[in-house]
């Protein structure tokens, strides 16, 4: 039996090519894809095209298992982006997100979750409770995982954070807002800026304190800031809003950052730190948090499209007036 998978052909076009399910080898699982969230990092492929099937925020169910695996058929779960080795110094420490011998990235150089099936190493599959809808399960990845790890990075330098500024109200920025509220409490102050009025209004609905970009210099000094925009000017403005012992976490890839070391860092004992995806082990705690706050997490997912409307899904996402966008699929032959 053949199926079709959407492929980003460039210039905002999506084509569908025939694919056949692959047989899982030793240590591998074959999943039937059920949902995949779109990420800001997918924009480049939507514009330029790609040779692989996109999708690195996938949820699905196990339909076949290779030799040496222990996951039962029918298990629902999500797929970790990075095919980490599990053996290197970083992996042994638990830092699978900075594996020293990474074997691939799902949806970037290996076919990902937008296809009808996805072949994965069992070690990057995380089982999810049957009560969690596939669409919401995708939130365990970038929305909760990447964003939650950015907060952990801030806490590693400043464990007594009492407020937060977030530059950029895209999916990761909204995720940081969400995770700060879930972890630190509904009253925890989170200032959040963006160039989009729609995103600012949506962030306010989620409990954030919206700030127009020109007003960022007027913000009070904060303990921590997270840049999810990837813009040099946003990072510079964030550094200047750090109080003493403050920390800026750069989670958005993109442009650079110029610092006056004496003014920005030394005199305040401030820090600038990077944050890349998240360790696989974080999924367990985030899964428990998701089960406790299922409705609140689901609010950030504002749009759902069937896989047959993948192009429309990307157009809506790139348009900028969405929260998290998820592409779903049933049995499309």
């Amino acid at each position: 039996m053949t199926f079709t998978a959407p492929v980003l052909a460039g210039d905002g076009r999506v084509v569908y090519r025939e694919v056949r399910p692959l047989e899982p080898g030793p240590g591998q699982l074959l999943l039937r894809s059920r949902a995949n969230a779109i990420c800001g990092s997918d924009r480049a492929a939507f514009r330029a095209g790609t040779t692989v099937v996109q999708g690195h925020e996938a949820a699905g169910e196990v339909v076949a298992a290779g030799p040496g695996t222990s996951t039962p058929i029918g298990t629902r779960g999500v797929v970790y982006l990075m095919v980490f080795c599990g053996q290197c110094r970083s992996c042994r420490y638990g830092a699978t997100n900075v594996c020293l011998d990474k074997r691939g990235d799902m949806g970037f150089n290996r076919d990902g979750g937008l296809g009808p099936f996805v072949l994965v190493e069992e070690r990057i599959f995380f089982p999810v409770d049957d009560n969690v809808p596939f669409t919401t399960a995708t939130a365990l990845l970038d929305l909760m995982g990447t964003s939650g790890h950015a907060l952990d990075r801030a806490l590693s330098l400043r464990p007594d954070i009492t407020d937060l500024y977030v530059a950029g109200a895209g999916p990761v920025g909204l995720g940081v807002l969400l995770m700060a509220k879930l972890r630190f409490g509904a009253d925890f102050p989170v200032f959040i800026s963006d160039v989009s009025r729609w995103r600012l209004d949506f962030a306010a609905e989620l409990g954030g304190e919206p700030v127009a970009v020109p007003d960022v210099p007027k913000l009070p000094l904060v303990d921590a800031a997270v840049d999810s925009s990837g813009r040099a000017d946003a990072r510079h403005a964030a550094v200047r809003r750090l109080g003493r012992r403050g920390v800026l976490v750069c989670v958005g890839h993109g442009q650079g950052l110029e610092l006056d070391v004496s003014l920005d860092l030394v005199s305040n004992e401030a820090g600038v730190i990077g944050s890349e995806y998240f360790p696989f082990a974080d999924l367990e705690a985030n899964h428990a948090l998701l089960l406790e706050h299922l409705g609140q997490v689901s609010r950030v997912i504002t749009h759902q499209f069937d896989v047959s409307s993948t192009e429309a899904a990307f157009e809506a996402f790139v348009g900028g007036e969405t929260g998290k966008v998820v592409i779903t699929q049933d049995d499309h032959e």
Side-chain angles (χ1 to χ4, degrees), residues 205-250:
E205 292 177 16
L206 298 175
E209 300 184 34
V211 181
V213 170
D215 295 332
V216 171
K218 303 174 186 177
L219 279 175
L221 298 182
V222 295
D223 291 341
V226 175
D227 173 60
S228 66
S229 72
R231 295 180 55 88
D233 54 352
R235 291 171 175 168
H236 183 264
V239 166
R240 291 299 166 87
R241 300 327 302 154
L242 294 179
R244 299 226 164 176
R245 297 172 45 239
V247 55
L248 167 65
V249 180
C250 296

Side-chain angles (χ1 to χ4, degrees), residues 89-154:
R89 179 182 178 186
S90 288
C91 287
R92 293 196 307 271
Y93 181 74
T96 56
N97 54 320
V98 284
C99 172
L100 300 175
D101 191 23
K102 186 172 63 170
R103 311 299 166 80
D105 288 317
M106 303 302 297
F108 289 95
N109 49 34
R110 292 193 179 192
D111 285 345
L114 284 181
F117 296 91
V118 57
L119 186 67
V120 305
E121 307 299 317
E122 186 179 40
R123 64 180 174 276
I124 69 168
F125 176 76
F126 181 82
V128 172
D129 189 279
D130 288 348
N131 292 318
V132 179
F134 287 115
T135 299
T136 309
T138 63
L140 283 167
L141 301 164
D142 276 344
L143 188 62
M144 298 181 73
T146 300
S147 302
H149 183 57
L151 294 177
D152 289 338
R153 295 290 281 163

Side-chain angles (χ1 to χ4, degrees), residues 128-132 144 286-295:
V128 172
D129 189 279
D130 288 348
N131 292 318
V132 179
M144 298 181 73
N286 286 339
H287 182 248
L289 201 61
L290 175 62
L291 289 174
E292 187 178 353
H293 301 280
L294 202 56

Side-chain angles (χ1 to χ4, degrees), residues 198 202 298-304 321-326:
W198 188 95
F202 184 56
S298 297
R299 289 181 62 195
V300 189
I301 301 171
T302 58
H303 292 69
Q304 297 182 40
E321 294 191 356
T322 68
K324 201 67 175 170
V325 176
V326 178

